Amino acid sequence: AGDANSRYRLHIGTFPRPTAVSPAGGKAGEKVKVTFLGDAAGPIEREIDVPPGPVGGVHRLFASDDGGICPSALPFRISGFGNTLEQEPNDQIQAATSGDAALAFNGSIGHPGDFDHFRFGAKKGQSFQVKCHARGLRSGLDSVIHVLNADGMNVGGNDDAQGPDSAYKFDVPEDGEYILQVKDHLGRGQPDFTYRIEFE
């Protein structure tokens, strides 16, 4: 059922072969704890030094363990923002992970039908470009993002502004708390469907 674009790469060995890293990025110049996901032997936790720049660039991470070093890298976004990590369960608005728009929201759509929610405050007159970094970092997630008000009413959102990655211009209508909702376009999900959402 393939075509000329159905390419693959085969690796044979004892080395780890994760398919994603979480969080998917970190603040330039800081130390960040990351977890490599998707390897058959289970998650691999490490602490890394995020390069000082360029902000907006990609750092190449090579997972390693006693079996060797992964032969190909996973992309990790070098950012101007620190991290908020999702806290499960957060499928429901009432259980949204509390965060700050000055930090990036990180998580994964871990199973089919999964929704992630983050709660943050904003003030009238602020304007944000809300960008989801997923497919551009080799995640399988086809993201859809929505901003909701505190009552769960939709303010706005986006599916495919930047290819399969989402971006939405959020002009804050009034002071208050808001909810960022993340899901997969087709309702898919698995642990390595990672994402990183930044408010610029």
Side-chain angles (χ1 to χ4, degrees):
D3 58 26
N5 290 316
S6 299
R7 297 181 291 270
Y8 66 87
R9 175 166 43 191
L10 176 66
H11 296 257
I12 300 174
T14 60
F15 46 76
R17 194 64 180 87
T19 55
V21 61
S22 181
K27 188 173 183 179
E30 291 192 346
K31 288 186 179 294
V32 175
K33 291 182 179 179
V34 301
T35 302
F36 292 97
L37 304 170
D39 185 69
I44 303 168
E45 296 183 351
R46 295 287 184 268
E47 185 174 71
I48 67 162
D49 293 306
V50 183
V55 171
V58 171
H59 180 47
R60 302 174 71 220
L61 295 181
F62 290 87
S64 63
D65 63 11
D66 292 342
I69 300 175
C70 183
S72 54
L74 291 170
F76 181 86
R77 181 171 166 80
I78 304 170
S79 173
F81 302 91
N83 290 329
T84 293
L85 307 180
E86 69 160 319
Q87 301 296 316
E88 291 282 7
N90 64 350
D91 283 26
Q92 304 299 319
I93 293 171
Q94 298 82 357
T97 300
S98 294
D100 188 321
L103 300 173
F105 296 147
N106 297 266
S108 68
I109 300 301
H111 56 82
D114 189 16
F115 285 76
D116 286 351
H117 293 94
F118 296 87
R119 185 182 306 275
F120 64 96
K123 294 185 177 298
K124 182 177 181 178
Q126 288 182 302
S127 183
F128 297 100
Q129 188 72 14
V130 186
K131 295 183 178 181
C132 181
H133 301 275
R135 195 63 64 84
L137 295 174
R138 285 185 27 207
S139 171
L141 178 67
D142 183 358
S143 66
V144 178
I145 60 173
H146 286 279
V147 175
L148 316 175
N149 65 21
D151 296 324
M153 300 298 292
N154 188 47
V155 177
N158 177 259
D159 181 5
D160 291 335
Q162 300 177 329
D165 281 343
S166 309
Y168 167 62
K169 187 175 185 291
F170 174 40
D171 296 317
V172 182
E174 59 185 31
D175 294 1
E177 286 195 329
Y178 293 88
I179 305 291
L180 176 69
Q181 181 188 80
V182 191
K183 64 179 182 177
D184 182 78
H185 175 69
L186 297 176
R188 304 168 308 140
Q190 56 190 51
D192 63 354
F193 276 23
T194 54
Y195 61 83
R196 176 181 182 83
I197 298 178
E198 298 177 358
F199 284 65
E200 297 180 0

